[in-house]
Coordinates of all heavy atoms in Angstrom, one line a residue:
S1 N 7.2 12.9 -1.8 CA 6.2 11.8 -1.6 C 5.4 12.0 -0.4 O 5.8 12.8 0.5 CB 7.1 10.5 -1.4 OG 8.0 10.6 -0.3
L2 N 4.3 11.3 -0.4 CA 3.4 11.3 0.8 C 3.8 10.3 1.8 O 3.7 9.1 1.5 CB 2.0 11.1 0.3 CG 1.4 12.1 -0.6 CD1 0.0 11.7 -1.1 CD2 1.4 13.5 0.0
N3 N 4.3 10.7 3.0 CA 4.8 9.8 4.0 C 3.7 9.2 4.8 O 3.9 8.1 5.4 CB 5.8 10.4 4.9 CG 7.1 10.9 4.2 OD1 7.5 10.3 3.3 ND2 7.6 12.0 4.6
W4 N 2.5 9.8 4.9 CA 1.5 9.4 5.7 C 0.3 9.1 4.7 O -0.7 9.9 4.7 CB 1.1 10.4 6.7 CG 2.1 10.3 7.8 CD1 3.2 11.1 7.9 CD2 2.2 9.5 9.0 NE1 4.0 10.8 9.0 CE2 3.3 9.8 9.7 CE3 1.4 8.4 9.4 CZ2 3.7 9.1 10.9 CZ3 1.7 7.8 10.6 CH2 2.8 8.1 11.3
S5 N 0.3 8.1 4.0 CA -0.7 7.7 3.1 C -1.1 6.1 3.3 O -0.1 5.3 3.2 CB -0.4 8.0 1.7 OG -1.3 7.4 0.7
G6 N -2.3 5.8 3.7 CA -2.6 4.4 3.9 C -4.0 4.2 4.4 O -4.8 5.1 4.4
T7 N -4.3 3.0 4.8 CA -5.6 2.7 5.4 C -5.7 3.1 6.8 O -4.7 3.5 7.4 CB -5.8 1.2 5.4 OG1 -5.0 0.5 6.3 CG2 -5.6 0.5 3.9
F8 N -6.9 3.3 7.3 CA -7.1 3.6 8.7 C -6.4 2.6 9.6 O -5.7 3.1 10.5 CB -8.6 3.5 9.0 CG -9.4 4.9 8.8 CD1 -10.0 5.1 7.6 CD2 -9.4 5.8 9.8 CE1 -10.7 6.2 7.4 CE2 -10.1 7.0 9.6 CZ -10.8 7.2 8.4
H9 N -6.5 1.3 9.3 CA -5.8 0.3 10.2 C -4.3 0.4 10.0 O -3.6 0.3 11.1 CB -6.3 -1.0 9.9 CG -7.7 -1.3 10.2 ND1 -8.8 -1.0 9.4 CD2 -8.3 -1.8 11.4 CE1 -9.9 -1.3 10.0 NE2 -9.7 -1.8 11.1
G10 N -3.8 0.6 8.9 CA -2.4 0.7 8.7 C -1.7 2.0 9.3 O -0.7 1.8 10.0
V11 N -2.4 3.1 9.2 CA -1.9 4.3 9.8 C -2.1 4.2 11.3 O -1.2 4.6 12.1 CB -2.7 5.5 9.3 CG1 -2.4 6.8 10.1 CG2 -2.3 5.8 7.9
G12 N -3.1 3.6 11.8 CA -3.4 3.4 13.2 C -2.2 2.5 13.8 O -1.7 2.9 14.9
A13 N -1.9 1.4 13.2 CA -0.8 0.6 13.6 C 0.5 1.4 13.7 O 1.3 1.3 14.6 CB -0.6 -0.6 12.7
R14 N 0.8 2.2 12.7 CA 2.0 2.9 12.6 C 2.1 3.9 13.8 O 3.1 4.1 14.4 CB 2.2 3.6 11.3 CG 3.4 4.4 11.1 CD 3.4 4.9 9.6 NE 4.5 5.8 9.4 CZ 4.7 6.6 8.3 NH1 3.8 6.4 7.3 NH2 5.7 7.4 8.2
L15 N 1.0 4.6 14.1 CA 0.9 5.6 15.1 C 1.1 5.0 16.5 O 1.8 5.5 17.4 CB -0.4 6.4 15.0 CG -0.4 7.5 13.9 CD1 -1.8 8.0 13.8 CD2 0.6 8.6 14.1
L16 N 0.4 3.8 16.6 CA 0.4 3.1 17.9 C 1.9 2.7 18.3 O 2.3 2.7 19.4 CB -0.4 1.9 18.0 CG -2.0 2.3 17.9 CD1 -2.9 1.1 17.9 CD2 -2.4 3.3 19.0
R17 N 2.6 2.2 17.3 CA 4.0 1.8 17.5 C 4.8 3.1 17.9 O 5.7 3.0 18.7 CB 4.6 1.1 16.3 CG 4.0 -0.3 16.0 CD 4.9 -1.1 15.2 NE 4.2 -2.3 14.7 CZ 4.0 -3.4 15.4 NH1 4.5 -3.5 16.7 NH2 3.4 -4.5 14.9
E18 N 4.6 4.1 17.2 CA 5.4 5.4 17.5 C 5.1 5.9 18.8 O 5.9 6.4 19.5 CB 5.0 6.4 16.4 CG 5.8 7.6 16.4 CD 5.6 8.6 15.3 OE1 5.4 8.1 14.2 OE2 5.6 9.8 15.5
Y19 N 3.8 5.8 19.3 CA 3.5 6.4 20.5 C 3.3 5.3 21.6 O 2.8 5.6 22.8 CB 2.1 7.1 20.4 CG 2.2 8.5 19.7 CD1 2.2 8.6 18.4 CD2 2.3 9.7 20.4 CE1 2.3 9.8 17.6 CE2 2.4 10.9 19.8 CZ 2.4 10.9 18.4 OH 2.4 12.1 17.8
A20 N 3.8 4.2 21.4 CA 3.6 3.0 22.3 C 4.1 3.3 23.7 O 3.4 3.1 24.7 CB 4.3 1.8 21.7
G21 N 5.2 4.0 23.8 CA 5.8 4.2 25.2 C 4.9 5.2 25.9 O 5.0 5.2 27.2
R22 N 4.2 6.0 25.3 CA 3.3 7.0 26.0 C 1.9 6.5 26.3 O 1.2 7.1 26.9 CB 3.2 8.3 25.1 CG 4.6 8.9 24.9 CD 4.5 10.1 23.9 NE 3.7 11.2 24.4 CZ 3.4 12.3 23.6 NH1 4.1 12.4 22.5 NH2 2.6 13.2 24.1
I23 N 1.6 5.3 25.7 CA 0.2 4.8 25.9 C 0.2 3.4 26.5 O -0.8 2.8 26.6 CB -0.6 4.9 24.7 CG1 0.1 4.0 23.6 CG2 -0.9 6.2 24.1 CD1 -0.7 3.9 22.3
G24 N 1.3 3.0 27.1 CA 1.5 1.8 27.8 C 1.5 0.5 26.9 O 1.1 -0.6 27.4
L25 N 1.9 0.6 25.7 CA 2.0 -0.6 24.8 C 3.5 -0.9 24.6 O 4.4 0.0 24.6 CB 1.4 -0.2 23.5 CG -0.1 -0.4 23.2 CD1 -0.5 0.0 21.8 CD2 -0.5 -1.8 23.5
D26 N 3.7 -2.2 24.3 CA 5.0 -2.7 24.0 C 5.1 -2.4 22.4 O 4.3 -2.8 21.6 CB 5.1 -4.2 24.2 CG 6.5 -4.8 23.9 OD1 7.2 -4.1 23.0 OD2 6.9 -5.8 24.4
P27 N 6.2 -1.7 22.0 CA 6.3 -1.4 20.6 C 6.3 -2.6 19.7 O 6.0 -2.5 18.5 CB 7.6 -0.6 20.5 CG 7.8 -0.1 21.9 CD 7.3 -1.1 22.8
N28 N 6.7 -3.8 20.2 CA 6.7 -5.0 19.5 C 5.4 -5.8 19.5 O 5.4 -7.0 19.3 CB 7.9 -5.9 20.0 CG 9.2 -5.3 19.7 OD1 9.4 -4.6 18.6 ND2 10.2 -5.4 20.6
F29 N 4.3 -5.1 19.8 CA 3.0 -5.8 20.0 C 2.7 -6.6 18.6 O 3.1 -6.2 17.5 CB 1.9 -4.9 20.3 CG 1.5 -3.8 19.3 CD1 0.8 -4.0 18.1 CD2 2.0 -2.5 19.5 CE1 0.6 -3.1 17.2 CE2 1.7 -1.5 18.6 CZ 1.1 -1.8 17.4
T30 N 2.0 -7.7 18.7 CA 1.6 -8.5 17.6 C 0.2 -8.1 17.2 O -0.7 -7.8 18.0 CB 1.6 -10.0 18.0 OG1 2.9 -10.4 18.4 CG2 1.2 -10.8 16.8
I31 N -0.1 -8.2 15.9 CA -1.4 -7.9 15.4 C -2.1 -9.2 15.0 O -1.6 -9.9 14.1 CB -1.4 -6.9 14.2 CG1 -0.8 -5.6 14.7 CG2 -2.9 -6.7 13.7 CD1 -0.6 -4.6 13.5
H32 N -3.2 -9.6 15.6 CA -3.9 -10.8 15.2 C -4.9 -10.5 14.0 O -5.5 -9.5 14.0 CB -4.8 -11.2 16.3 CG -4.0 -12.1 17.3 ND1 -4.6 -12.7 18.4 CD2 -2.8 -12.6 17.3 CE1 -3.7 -13.5 19.1 NE2 -2.6 -13.3 18.4
D33 N -4.9 -11.4 13.0 CA -5.9 -11.3 12.1 C -7.3 -11.9 12.6 O -7.3 -12.3 13.7 CB -5.5 -12.1 10.8 CG -5.2 -13.5 11.0 OD1 -5.8 -14.1 11.9 OD2 -4.5 -14.2 10.1
R34 N -8.3 -11.9 11.7 CA -9.6 -12.3 12.2 C -9.6 -13.7 12.8 O -10.2 -14.1 13.8 CB -10.7 -12.1 11.2 CG -11.0 -10.8 10.9 CD -11.7 -10.0 12.0 NE -12.1 -8.6 11.7 CZ -12.5 -7.8 12.5 NH1 -12.4 -8.1 13.9 NH2 -12.8 -6.5 12.2
Q35 N -8.9 -14.7 12.1 CA -8.9 -16.0 12.4 C -8.2 -16.2 13.8 O -8.6 -16.9 14.7 CB -8.3 -16.9 11.4 CG -8.3 -18.4 11.6 CD -7.9 -19.2 10.5 OE1 -7.9 -18.8 9.3 NE2 -7.6 -20.5 10.7
D36 N -7.0 -15.5 14.0 CA -6.3 -15.6 15.3 C -7.1 -15.0 16.4 O -7.2 -15.6 17.5 CB -5.0 -14.8 15.1 CG -4.0 -15.5 14.3 OD1 -4.0 -16.7 14.1 OD2 -3.1 -14.8 13.7
S37 N -7.9 -14.0 16.1 CA -8.7 -13.3 17.1 C -9.8 -14.3 17.5 O -10.2 -14.4 18.7 CB -9.3 -12.0 16.6 OG -8.3 -11.1 16.3
G38 N -10.4 -15.0 16.5 CA -11.4 -16.0 16.8 C -10.9 -17.1 17.6 O -11.6 -17.6 18.6
D39 N -9.6 -17.6 17.4 CA -9.1 -18.6 18.2 C -8.8 -18.1 19.6 O -9.1 -19.0 20.5 CB -7.7 -19.0 17.5 CG -7.9 -19.7 16.2 OD1 -9.0 -20.2 15.9 OD2 -7.0 -19.8 15.4
L40 N -8.4 -16.9 19.8 CA -8.1 -16.4 21.2 C -9.5 -16.3 21.9 O -9.6 -16.6 23.1 CB -7.4 -15.1 21.2 CG -7.1 -14.5 22.5 CD1 -6.3 -15.5 23.4 CD2 -6.4 -13.2 22.3
T41 N -10.5 -15.8 21.2 CA -11.9 -15.7 21.8 C -12.3 -17.1 22.2 O -13.0 -17.3 23.3 CB -12.9 -15.1 20.7 OG1 -12.4 -13.8 20.3 CG2 -14.2 -15.0 21.3
N42 N -12.1 -18.1 21.4 CA -12.5 -19.5 21.7 C -11.7 -20.0 22.9 O -12.3 -20.7 23.8 CB -12.3 -20.4 20.5 CG -13.2 -21.6 20.6 OD1 -14.3 -21.6 21.0 ND2 -12.6 -22.7 20.1
L43 N -10.5 -19.7 23.0 CA -9.7 -20.1 24.1 C -10.2 -19.5 25.5 O -10.4 -20.2 26.4 CB -8.2 -19.7 23.9 CG -7.2 -20.0 25.0 CD1 -7.1 -21.6 25.1 CD2 -5.9 -19.4 24.7
V44 N -10.5 -18.2 25.4 CA -11.1 -17.6 26.6 C -12.4 -18.2 26.9 O -12.8 -18.4 28.0 CB -11.2 -16.1 26.4 CG1 -11.9 -15.4 27.5 CG2 -9.7 -15.5 26.2
R45 N -13.3 -18.4 25.9 CA -14.6 -19.0 26.0 C -14.6 -20.3 26.7 O -15.4 -20.6 27.6 CB -15.2 -19.1 24.6 CG -16.5 -19.7 24.4 CD -17.0 -19.6 23.0 NE -18.2 -20.3 22.7 CZ -18.3 -21.6 22.4 NH1 -17.2 -22.3 22.3 NH2 -19.4 -22.2 22.2

């Protein structure tokens, strides 16, 4: 089976969790969808 098959965003999320410790990310980071991102933008605004 192909273990690394997916969308750019899906593979990116998987790699970032795997390498989180080496790039200063918490492996349990949350991913915001567009609506959540808009809400956070509005909060900062």
Side-chain angles (χ1 to χ4, degrees):
S1 59
L2 298 177
N3 296 325
W4 287 93
S5 172
T7 66
F8 271 94
H9 291 88
V11 170
R14 186 175 167 187
L15 287 172
L16 293 181
R17 291 202 192 278
E18 186 173 324
Y19 286 83
R22 298 173 60 180
I23 58 176
L25 275 178
D26 184 335
N28 293 323
F29 62 79
T30 303
I31 301 173
H32 274 182
D33 61 21
R34 289 294 184 194
Q35 188 170 339
D36 290 334
S37 299
D39 290 342
L40 182 56
T41 303
N42 202 36
L43 181 64
V44 175
R45 180 174 170 273

